[in-house]
Amino acid sequence: MFLSELLPVKEAFRVIDENQVRMGVEEIDLDDAYHRVLAEDIISRFDSPPFDRSAMDGYAVRAEDTFGSSPENPITLRVVDSIGAGDVSGAETARGEAVRIATGAPIPEGADAVVMEEYTILSGDEIRVIRPVSPGENIAPRGEDIGAGERILKAGTLLRPPEIALAASAGHGRVKVYRKPSVRIIVTGNELVDPSGDLEPGKIPNSNRYTLKALVESAGGVPDVLHCGDDLEGVKDEIRRAADEYDAVITTGGTAISKGDVVVDAVKDLGEVLFHGVAVRPGKPVAFGMVNHKPVFMLSGYPVAAMVQFDVFARYYLMRMQYPEYRHRTVRRTCTGKVASAPGRTEYLRARATDEMVEPVRSRGSGIIRSMVESNAYIFLDENKEGISEGEECHVILFDSMIM
C-alpha cells in the first residue's frame, strides 16, 4: 500500500478514536488493584471512622473536669479502665474519672475529649492533669473521612495507593475494574538476532523485542512477543492468529512507505489499513488498521521511531482500552535552546525537562537509542509551529505522565 500524502496527526487521532475498543470488566481483590481502573462507582458501606476514636495516646475524660488545670494546679482524676486499639470499654466515664486510651480506640461513653499522655502524671490508679482540654479535642469523630452510602470513587478512576486506601476504609475488599488488554507483539526482520556477545555479519540485536514488551507493560497491557521473518504469508498467518487470540496487535518493521511493505500488505489482505503514513517526526511510516475487530498498530523497525510511534499512538489506544478518560497531558516549560522546525509536520522532540526548564536532546536520528535514554520528555510542536526560540515557553509531555 502506498500513500502519497501524509495524514495530519489530528486526523490520525480521529481515526483511532472512531475505532477505539474498550475492555470488558473483571472483579479482583484489592491486593491486585494498584494502577487498575475502576469500572464501577464505589459506595461506602459504613462511616469511616465507624465510631468516635482517639487521635492520641492518653486519657479519655470529661473536658469540663480538666478546666483550670495547670502544672501549678493539677487536677486529679481516677483511672477506671484501659482501652487498646481494637478494644472497647464497658465503663462509662463519670465525673472525676478517666479511661486510659490508645490511638484509634473508641471513645468510651461519657467522655468527650482526650488528654495527651504527656500532659498527665500517673500515680497508681490516678492521674494528675496539668493542661485543660476542650470538648472534642483529640477525637476523630465518626464519619469524619467518609459517610455511609457516600460515593467515594467514580468509575474510570485510576487506583493509586490513596484510592485503594479509601476503598478499603469503605469496606471493599474486591473491586470491579477494566481488564488489561492482551497484546501480541510481532517483531519482523530477517536481520534480527537475540542479543549476545557474538554478532554475525549483517545481523542486528533485536532490541525492539524487549523495548515493545516493556512499553506495553508500562501502558497496562499484557504482552506476548514473537519474532517473525520478512515473509508475507508467514506474517499474515501470525497476524491472523493474533487477531483471533489477543485484544490488540503491535508489529515492528515492514512499514516503509513503498511497494512491498510486508506487514502493511498483510493487514490489508486480512482486514483494513485505515492509515499509513502520518505527518509526524520521527516515525512518519506508522500505520493503523483493524483485523477481526482488533486494532493493529504497525510501527517502524527503527527503535527510536518505534518508541515514539508507540508513545504517541499505540499507548494512547491501549490506555483508553482500560482508562477511557486518558489523554496525553502537556505541561509548560521554558526551552533552553533554539529548535528549528518546518511547518506541516507535528514533531515530538526528545528532551530533558526539569520543574521549570526543558533542554532539547540534540541527537535526533531514529536509530539513536541513547537519545531516548538521555530524555525524560517530549517537546511537542504542532504542525503549524515554526520552531522554538531560546527562552520561549513550549508544550512538553513528560514520560512519567504517560505510564499506567
Side-chain angles (χ1 to χ4, degrees):
M1 180 177 182
F2 175 76
L3 298 184
S4 58
E5 295 184 2
L6 298 175
L7 191 69
V9 167
K10 290 179 181 178
E11 282 298 299
F13 276 116
R14 182 187 62 77
V15 172
I16 288 172
D17 285 341
E18 288 177 352
N19 292 275
Q20 181 70 59
V21 174
R22 306 290 185 203
M23 297 304 299
V25 174
E26 62 180 347
E27 188 174 77
I28 62 171
D29 289 337
L30 203 58
D31 275 335
D32 303 317
Y34 176 65
H35 267 205
R36 302 296 297 274
V37 180
L38 278 176
E40 64 174 353
D41 292 345
I42 297 293
I43 308 299
S44 181
R45 290 174 170 161
F46 39 66
D47 294 329
S48 179
F51 45 76
D52 292 347
R53 65 185 180 186
S54 177
M56 300 285 177
D57 288 343
Y59 293 88
V61 298
R62 290 175 178 257
E64 60 182 330
D65 285 346
T66 70
F67 293 168
S69 61
S70 68
E72 296 77 25
N73 183 37
I75 291 176
T76 301
L77 302 175
R78 186 166 65 91
V79 180
V80 297
D81 201 1
S82 179
I83 315 172
D87 297 331
V88 294
S89 173
E92 181 174 346
T93 309
R95 291 292 305 272
E97 295 180 342
V99 173
R100 189 179 183 93
I101 193 167
T103 302
I107 301 298
E109 288 290 326
D112 63 358
V114 173
V115 180
M116 294 174 62
E117 191 163 10
E118 46 264 51
Y119 297 124
T120 65
I121 301 169
L122 178 64
S123 178
D125 62 355
E126 292 182 336
I127 57 169
R128 283 179 290 170
V129 179
I130 62 173
R131 179 187 178 279
V133 288
S134 57
E137 189 169 341
N138 298 324
I139 290 178
R142 175 175 179 165
E144 178 185 45
D145 192 1
I146 51 180
E150 181 183 350
R151 183 178 72 172
I152 57 168
L153 295 171
K154 294 170 58 178
T157 298
L158 180 67
L159 292 172
R160 306 169 303 158
E163 286 81 10
I164 291 173
L166 196 61
S169 296
H172 294 268
R174 292 177 64 81
V175 290
K176 290 183 179 179
V177 297
Y178 291 104
R179 286 197 307 107
K180 290 187 172 190
S182 60
V183 183
R184 183 57 147 174
I185 300 168
I186 302 173
V187 180
T188 68
N190 294 332
E191 75 282 11
L192 301 177
V193 294
D194 290 338
S196 72
D198 298 318
L199 194 62
E200 297 178 16
K203 301 298 183 181
I204 299 173
N206 187 359
S207 64
N208 280 340
R209 176 194 190 285
Y210 303 93
T211 306
L212 268 296
K213 179 179 183 293
L215 286 169
V216 168
E217 289 171 340
S218 74
V222 181
D224 189 8
V225 187
L226 171 75
H227 178 207
C228 185
D230 294 319
D231 171 69
L232 178 60
E233 292 306 316
V235 171
K236 282 174 62 175
D237 287 343
E238 294 301 340
I239 293 177
R240 182 188 297 108
R241 187 177 297 112
D244 287 339
E245 299 175 4
Y246 296 83
D247 298 311
V249 184
I250 295 175
T251 70
T252 65
T255 64
I257 303 178
S258 60
K259 294 184 178 180
D261 306 322
V262 172
V263 173
V264 177
D265 289 344
V267 173
K268 182 181 178 183
D269 290 347
L270 295 170
E272 185 178 10
V273 175
L274 296 167
F275 63 72
H276 178 205
V278 177
V280 63
R281 182 181 180 186
K284 70 179 180 181
V286 65
F288 171 71
M290 300 291 288
V291 175
N292 192 25
H293 307 290
K294 304 291 180 63
V296 182
F297 284 89
M298 294 155 273
L299 312 183
S300 300
Y302 281 113
V304 173
M307 285 186 246
V308 176
Q309 291 165 341
F310 179 92
D311 280 340
V312 175
F313 300 112
R315 180 185 297 280
Y316 173 85
Y317 194 102
L318 292 178
M319 296 280 275
R320 285 170 59 79
M321 291 180 87
Q322 58 197 305
Y323 190 3
E325 300 304 314
Y326 176 80
R327 290 287 190 278
H328 291 326
R329 183 172 61 87
T330 62
V331 294
R332 303 281 287 183
R333 294 289 187 271
T334 300
C335 192
T336 62
K338 182 178 180 180
V339 177
S341 176
R345 183 178 296 183
T346 300
E347 295 203 36
Y348 292 83
L349 302 177
R350 283 145 274 171
R352 189 78 188 175
T354 65
D355 290 342
E356 298 179 354
M357 313 295 287
V358 63
E359 180 181 3
V361 172
R362 296 303 175 184
S363 299
R364 299 191 193 176
S366 293
I368 310 298
I369 299 175
R370 181 180 294 179
S371 66
M372 292 296 285
V373 175
E374 294 171 352
S375 304
N376 66 355
Y378 295 120
I379 295 175
F380 171 76
L381 281 79
D382 186 78
E383 61 182 3
N384 297 317
K385 181 75 173 174
E386 294 190 32
I388 303 172
S389 301
E390 183 177 351
E392 182 181 350
E393 269 201 338
C394 57
H395 292 284
V396 171
I397 302 173
L398 300 173
F399 289 173
D400 284 349
S401 73
M402 296 189 291
I403 296 175
M404 185 71 168

